């Protein structure tokens, strides 16, 4: 009998080089959702549908990643961006924990949802799922998703610009004639379309079927960009396209004469449209306001220089620090939710520590691009990704980065070649964490969508005279999302209107007490928010007038606190003046009248 110790060793099975379940379809759904998702059935028409679609797509991608990891796929390669990305996310969590408004930092601003901790985790999850998959070795599929989605959005923008709105319930009045398509803002539309231009150029250069995709989708995207009238997006597009052409030197477009003539004619038409739009649009006030916005940002940075005021608290902090020159340009009711510069935005909301982590992340990303460019087989795709990311980087110096662009950038960064030499020790823990975060974001997004839908339905019910159903819907909204000031303000407004129209004194008093309780709950949950204190102050004034007891002193304290948080908000000063007249306080009345005249001199009505 043969000694088994002398038997030749069994041949080890070949190592699996790619996951058995691909996350590409989930990532494709997230990308398509970032471009296309919107719903007029919601108050947040453009942002919440994207948040839900992106969360669902990333959750599906991580389900595939987890299935592969638990079925014996090799551990995820450790990428060069892991350390800076971990540092940046850690500081995001710290900035949220120390935030002046933790709810706002966690979820993000209503109608945007692009700068909160949830958005940062979604972007990181999209990047890691893409990097872990086999898509970096064959990025053409993701490129086509970007091109096709961008082309559809570009064509939608063109239709809007010529006065055709194909979707019912979407506003047909375009601000300054600028298309918004599926993004809700011309600036956001430009930032979403521009990454497709370098990718389209890459397809044209590559030839074959990619050439036709590049020409068709590139023309549609460029036409949509022209309709945005966003100079920041145009500059970013030129910068991204220029970088791609510089990095892909040595290659020539695979174009025949017919394709060349078609592309040249389309580009000439687009350039003429851009020139006409530039001359037609007044931009001086916008430029001056942006400069004053940056000056006002310095005050926010000085308030909390190390860790910032908290993710997505810029607009709330700006209300305390905006300069008189900014008020003169933007009016006393105007504000900004973003610094219109990514460096200043991060310095204000995450402090200098967050800014350093962000710079480290950018430097690591540049190194990864350099590694891909040194590989001849990956030079073209890497140059396209570099051009797309650089275009977004440039436009972020003038305009905010919407959630859609953040997710697009994350997926494109994940398509870079990366380092495959080292191995992460705990792939199952990583995949479980990624899946858990994606599912948590998806559950939270669904809860936000449900509340927003009920809020929109309540406004419709009220408009058609179904007042009791409207108020009942708003109570359900408060149960789903008790921290959103917009929902609380709507409920307060309708409660006040119902009380004024109700002939029954006891019923009227009950509605006014409900409004006061709503304000007290909001102040307890969000004590740093101007609107919470203003809402409570107004509710206490109404309760006093309705026979609910003498609460005017409390109302005065709440309105005074709101004024400390925003000294230039005219409606607030008007409410304080009304209170001074109710309490027969001539000194306060005179002082507040002077403040109103001062505001009139800064921003005439």
């Amino acid at each position: 009998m043969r000694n088994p110790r002398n038997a030749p060793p069994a041949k080890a099975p070949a190592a699996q080089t790619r996951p058995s379940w691909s996350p590409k379809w989930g990532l494709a759904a997230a990308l398509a959702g970032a471009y296309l998702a919107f719903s007029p059935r919601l108050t947040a028409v453009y942002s919440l549908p994207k948040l839900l679609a992106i969360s669902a797509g990333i959750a599906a991608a991580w389900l595939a990643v987890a299935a592969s990891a638990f079925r014996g796929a090799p551990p995820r390669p450790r990428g060069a961006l892991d350390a800076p990305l971990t540092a940046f996310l850690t500081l995001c969590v710290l900035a949220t924990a120390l935030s002046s408004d933790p709810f706002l930092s966690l979820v993000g601003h209503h109608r945007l949802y692009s700068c909160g901790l949830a958005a940062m985790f979604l972007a990181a999850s999209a990047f890691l799922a893409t990097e872990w998959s086999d898509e970096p070795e064959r990025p053409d599929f993701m490129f086509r998703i970007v091109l096709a989605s961008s082309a559809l959005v570009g064509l939608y923008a063109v239709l809007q610009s010529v006065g055709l709105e194909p979707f019912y319930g979407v506003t047909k009045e375009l601000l300054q004639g600028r298309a918004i398509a599926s993004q809700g803002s011309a600036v956001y539309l430009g930032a979403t379309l521009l990454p497709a231009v370098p990718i389209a150029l890459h397809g044209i250069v590559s030839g074959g079927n990619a050439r036709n995709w590049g020409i068709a989708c590139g023309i549609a995207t460029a036409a949509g960009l022209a309709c945005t009238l966003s100079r920041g997006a145009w500059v970013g597009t030129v910068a991204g396209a220029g970088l791609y052409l510089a990095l892909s030197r040595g290659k020539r477009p695979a174009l025949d004469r017919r394709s060349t003539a078609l592309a040249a004619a389309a580009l000439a038409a687009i350039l003429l449209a851009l020139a006409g739009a530039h001359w037609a649009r007044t931009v001086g006030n916008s430029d001056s306001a942006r400069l004053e916005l940056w000056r006002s940002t310095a005050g926010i940075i000085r308030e909390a220089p190390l860790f910032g005021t908290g993710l997505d608290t810029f607009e709330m902090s700006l209300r305390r620090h905006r300069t008189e020159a900014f008020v003169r340009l933007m009016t006393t009711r105007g504000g900004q939710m973003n610094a219109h510069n990514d460096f200043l935005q991060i310095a204000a909301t995450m402090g200098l520590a967050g800014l350093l982590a962000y710079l480290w992340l950018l430097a690591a990303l540049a190194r990864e691009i350099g590694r891909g460019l040194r590989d001849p087989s990956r030079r073209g795709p890497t140059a396209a990704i570099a051009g797309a990311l650089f275009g977004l980087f440039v436009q972020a110096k003038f305009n905010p980065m919407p959630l859609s662009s953040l997710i697009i950038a994350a997926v494109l960064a994940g398509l870079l070649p990366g380092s495959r030499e080292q191995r992460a020790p705990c792939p199952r823990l990583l995949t479980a964490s990624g899946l858990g975060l994606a599912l948590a974001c998806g559950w939270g997004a669904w809860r936000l969508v449900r509340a927003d839908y009920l809020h929109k339905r309540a406004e419709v019910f009220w408009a058609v005279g179904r007042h009791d159903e409207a108020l009942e819907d708003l109570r359900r909204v408060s149960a789903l999302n008790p921290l959103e000031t917009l929902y609380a303000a709507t409920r307060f407004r309708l409660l006040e209107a119902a009380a004024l129209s109700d002939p029954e004194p006891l019923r009227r008093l009950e509605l006014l007490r409900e409004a006061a309780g709503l304000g007290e709950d909001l102040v307890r949950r969000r004590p740093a928010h101007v609107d919470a204190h203003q809402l409570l102050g107004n509710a206490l004034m109404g309760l006093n007038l309705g026979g609910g007891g003498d609460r005017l002193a409390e109302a005065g304290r709440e309105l005074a606190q709101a004024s400390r948080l925003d000294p230039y908000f005219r409606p607030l000063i008007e409410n304080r003046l009304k209170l001074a007249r109710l309490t027969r306080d001539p000194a306060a009345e005179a002082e507040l009248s002077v403040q109103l005249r001062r505001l009139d001199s800064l921003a005439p009505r």
Side-chain angles (χ1 to χ4, degrees):
M1 183 174 180
R2 188 174 182 181
N3 188 346
R5 289 181 298 178
N6 297 327
K11 187 175 181 180
Q16 189 175 352
T17 59
R18 62 181 56 180
S20 55
W21 289 36
S22 174
K24 72 176 185 179
W25 296 109
L27 293 170
L31 277 177
Y35 277 103
L36 303 172
F38 68 99
S39 173
R41 291 180 175 270
L42 302 180
T43 303
V45 174
Y46 299 97
S47 58
L48 271 179
K50 288 180 175 56
L51 183 66
L52 183 60
I54 290 167
S55 300
I58 293 175
W62 276 99
L63 277 172
V65 171
S68 296
F70 283 87
R71 290 181 59 179
R76 184 184 78 77
R78 190 191 303 276
L81 295 180
D82 286 2
L85 182 60
T86 301
F88 183 75
L89 290 177
T90 300
L91 286 167
C92 286
V93 173
L94 184 60
T96 301
L98 300 176
S99 173
S100 56
D101 193 331
F103 169 76
L104 190 59
S105 295
L106 176 64
V107 176
H109 208 291
H110 187 260
R111 300 178 192 266
L112 297 178
Y113 300 104
S114 58
C115 297
L117 186 62
M120 299 303 166
F121 273 132
L122 281 174
S125 296
F127 165 76
L128 291 171
T130 308
E131 185 193 42
W132 189 89
S133 70
D134 57 354
E135 294 308 307
E137 278 71 45
R138 42 194 181 97
D140 289 347
F141 176 77
M142 290 300 169
F143 282 0
R144 290 198 175 194
I145 296 296
V146 169
L147 288 175
S149 301
S150 184
L152 289 174
V153 174
L155 292 175
Y156 183 13
V158 172
L159 289 176
Q160 280 189 334
S161 295
V162 298
L164 299 176
E165 175 52 63
F167 296 101
Y168 177 78
V170 177
T171 179
K172 297 180 181 178
E173 297 181 6
L174 301 179
L175 183 63
Q176 297 179 335
R178 306 171 70 185
I180 60 175
S182 61
Q183 302 301 312
S185 162
V187 169
Y188 294 166
L189 176 59
T192 304
L193 292 177
L194 74 87
V197 174
I199 296 174
L201 289 176
H202 170 65
I204 295 172
V205 167
S206 299
N209 290 332
R211 181 196 67 181
N212 299 328
W213 272 84
I215 293 174
C217 296
I219 290 174
T221 299
L225 277 165
C227 296
T228 66
L229 308 188
S230 172
R231 292 169 299 149
W234 297 346
V235 172
T237 301
V238 172
L243 182 65
Y244 169 75
L245 294 174
L247 295 179
S248 61
R249 61 186 181 277
K251 292 190 174 183
R252 294 291 181 267
L255 293 176
D256 54 28
R257 292 183 179 180
R258 181 179 177 183
S259 299
T260 302
L262 178 62
L267 289 176
I270 291 169
L271 288 175
L272 288 174
L274 291 177
H278 178 75
W279 286 107
R281 183 183 168 205
T282 302
V283 297
N285 188 67
S286 174
D287 292 339
S288 300
R290 186 175 281 110
L291 291 174
E292 286 302 325
L293 174 66
W294 293 342
R295 292 190 182 98
S296 300
T297 304
I300 303 176
I301 297 173
R302 286 194 296 269
E303 178 184 335
L306 188 55
F307 296 114
T309 59
L311 291 180
D312 215 7
T313 59
F314 182 85
E315 188 265 348
M316 193 173 71
S317 300
L318 179 66
R319 297 177 77 164
R320 298 192 301 274
H321 294 284
R322 51 185 173 172
T323 63
E324 287 192 355
F326 179 81
V327 174
R328 184 178 293 110
L329 288 167
M330 297 298 293
T331 79
T332 58
R333 298 172 186 264
Q336 291 290 337
M337 298 178 187
N338 190 281
H340 284 247
N341 179 284
D342 55 338
F343 290 156
L344 291 177
Q345 175 78 12
I346 291 175
T349 59
M350 295 179 63
L352 298 179
L355 181 59
L356 289 175
Y358 181 60
L359 292 174
W360 183 17
L361 184 61
L362 291 177
L365 184 60
R367 286 196 299 271
E368 284 297 278
I369 291 172
R371 180 181 288 112
L373 292 173
R374 288 192 293 271
D375 182 353
S377 65
R378 294 301 308 274
R379 185 178 185 86
T382 301
I385 295 170
L389 295 179
F390 184 65
L392 287 173
F393 175 78
V394 170
Q395 79 86 34
K397 301 301 169 289
F398 310 100
N399 293 324
M401 179 86 82
L403 177 63
S404 51
S405 295
L406 189 65
I407 299 303
I408 295 165
V411 172
L412 291 178
L415 292 175
L416 291 170
S419 174
R420 302 289 181 180
E421 289 79 20
Q422 296 178 315
R423 299 286 179 174
C426 299
R428 293 187 178 184
L429 177 61
L430 175 68
T431 54
S433 300
L435 178 59
L437 286 172
L439 290 175
C441 288
W443 175 82
W446 170 248
R447 191 177 178 90
L448 292 174
V449 165
R450 182 61 180 165
D452 209 59
Y453 169 77
L454 290 173
H455 176 261
K456 183 67 172 281
R457 190 173 74 172
E459 291 184 320
V460 174
F461 279 163
W462 186 269
V464 297
R466 298 164 64 176
H467 294 174
D468 289 341
E469 292 173 271
L471 290 175
E472 185 57 35
D473 266 355
L474 288 174
R475 294 183 184 105
R476 295 168 64 189
V477 168
S478 294
L480 286 167
N481 187 356
L483 296 106
E484 179 52 59
T485 57
L486 174 66
Y487 301 158
T490 301
R491 184 178 167 194
F492 168 74
R493 175 171 52 85
L494 299 190
L495 284 170
E496 187 179 48
L500 289 174
S501 62
D502 199 315
E504 176 59 42
L506 291 179
R507 170 66 178 168
R508 184 165 58 246
L509 186 58
E510 181 183 346
L511 292 170
L512 292 173
R513 283 176 176 162
E514 182 180 343
L518 175 66
E520 290 169 346
D521 182 66
L522 194 61
V523 166
R524 183 174 64 255
R525 294 176 184 272
R526 301 186 68 180
H529 204 292
V530 176
D531 296 345
H533 293 280
Q534 183 180 10
L535 189 151
L536 177 56
N538 292 342
L540 293 175
M541 287 172 58
L543 185 60
N544 181 86
L545 294 173
D550 187 4
R551 308 290 296 275
L552 294 182
E554 295 176 63
R557 287 194 294 270
E558 294 298 331
L559 294 178
Q561 174 62 18
S563 281
R564 284 189 287 271
L565 295 173
D566 187 353
Y568 290 111
F569 192 39
R570 183 185 181 88
L572 178 56
I573 298 175
E574 291 172 345
N575 288 333
R576 292 184 66 196
L577 181 59
K578 184 188 304 182
L579 178 62
R581 289 168 179 164
L582 284 174
T583 57
R584 303 180 188 279
D585 187 343
E589 187 175 346
E591 180 184 353
L592 292 167
S593 297
V594 170
Q595 290 184 30
L596 284 178
R597 287 195 294 271
R598 174 62 178 162
L599 286 181
D600 286 339
S601 69
L602 292 176
R605 286 177 294 177

